[in-house]
């Protein structure tokens, strides 16, 4: 009985310590990339076809820290209200000096057959400002321990 209690106490103490250690490890391994800010700056229709529309989503990553930041990629999932638009992966190293911003224009093709009629009307009339756009995803950085991700959520409208 005494051995069971000892094991239980060790488990109760070790789980929070392991979680805290992982948090510290991620912060040290990723450094100032944790403090980068991601914004969805604009979404607009760039081209209309009979069966689809091309839109451009402008994503901005800024470095508010006093240190240089290096990231190895960005993954973006774009949504209009509750409609999933698509996924985009930017696999290129981005280096941001303190206070610097980097803009990523992302092109998506939306087929009218995959979205509600009301949304098609918004696209055709180029009234993208009338709906809530949002993006989720992650900023990636390679480390000695593999690729680590800093998740983000950004909204427009």
């Amino acid at each position: 009985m005494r051995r069971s209690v000892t094991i239980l106490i060790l488990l109760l103490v070790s789980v929070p310590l392991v979680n805290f250690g992982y948090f510290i490890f991620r912060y040290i391994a990723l450094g100032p990339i944790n403090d980068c800010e991601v914004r969805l700056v604009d979404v607009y229709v760039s081209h209309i076809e009979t069966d689809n529309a091309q839109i451009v989503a402008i994503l901005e990553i800024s470095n508010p820290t006093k240190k240089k930041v290096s990231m190895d990629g960005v993954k973006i999932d774009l949504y209009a209200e509750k409609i999933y638009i698509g996924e985009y992966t930017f696999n290129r190293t981005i280096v941001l000096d303190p206070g610097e911003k980097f803009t990523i224009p992302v092109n998506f093709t939306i087929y009218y057959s995959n979205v509600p009629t009301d949304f098609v009307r918004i696209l055709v009339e180029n009234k993208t400002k009338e709906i809530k756009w949002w993006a989720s995803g992650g900023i990636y950085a390679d480390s000695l321990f593999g690729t680590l991700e800093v998740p983000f959520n950004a909204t427009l409208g």
Side-chain angles (χ1 to χ4, degrees):
M1 178 73 176
R2 186 175 190 144
R3 186 173 189 196
S4 298
V5 171
T6 304
I7 291 173
L8 180 63
I9 290 172
L10 285 174
L11 283 174
L12 289 174
V13 170
S14 64
V15 169
L17 287 176
V18 168
N19 285 337
F20 181 71
Y22 179 72
F23 173 76
I24 294 298
F25 157 74
R26 277 185 54 89
Y27 191 78
I28 290 171
L30 290 171
I33 197 172
N34 284 309
D35 299 322
C36 283
E37 298 169 354
V38 179
R39 293 181 345 140
L40 186 60
V41 178
D42 195 10
V43 177
Y44 62 90
V45 177
S46 64
H47 190 72
I48 296 285
E49 293 287 334
T50 56
D51 66 339
N52 69 66
Q54 282 88 37
I55 64 165
V56 178
I58 307 293
L59 199 73
E60 180 183 86
I61 303 170
S62 61
N63 176 12
T65 69
K66 296 183 191 276
K67 296 179 181 178
K68 184 181 275 193
V69 174
S70 178
M71 56 196 80
D72 297 301
V74 181
K75 179 185 168 286
I76 304 155
D77 290 315
L78 183 67
Y79 299 86
E81 300 286 341
K82 295 179 182 177
I83 303 168
Y84 176 71
I85 302 301
E87 175 185 307
Y88 180 80
T89 303
F90 186 81
N91 288 322
R92 198 175 99 201
T93 301
I94 303 167
V95 179
L96 295 175
D97 289 325
E100 191 176 25
K101 297 177 182 179
F102 184 79
T103 303
I104 304 171
V106 183
N107 297 306
F108 292 97
T109 300
I110 301 172
Y111 291 93
Y112 303 144
S113 59
N114 296 338
V115 295
T117 307
D118 292 342
F119 186 65
V120 172
R121 189 174 304 112
I122 288 170
L123 293 174
V124 171
E125 295 173 0
N126 200 6
K127 294 184 177 181
T128 57
K129 305 283 187 247
E130 294 181 1
I131 58 175
K132 180 181 177 183
W133 294 87
W134 57 283
S136 65
I139 301 172
Y140 293 94
D142 293 331
S143 73
L144 295 171
F145 306 100
T147 302
L148 300 174
E149 175 189 1
V150 176
F152 69 83
N153 286 304
T155 59
L156 174 71

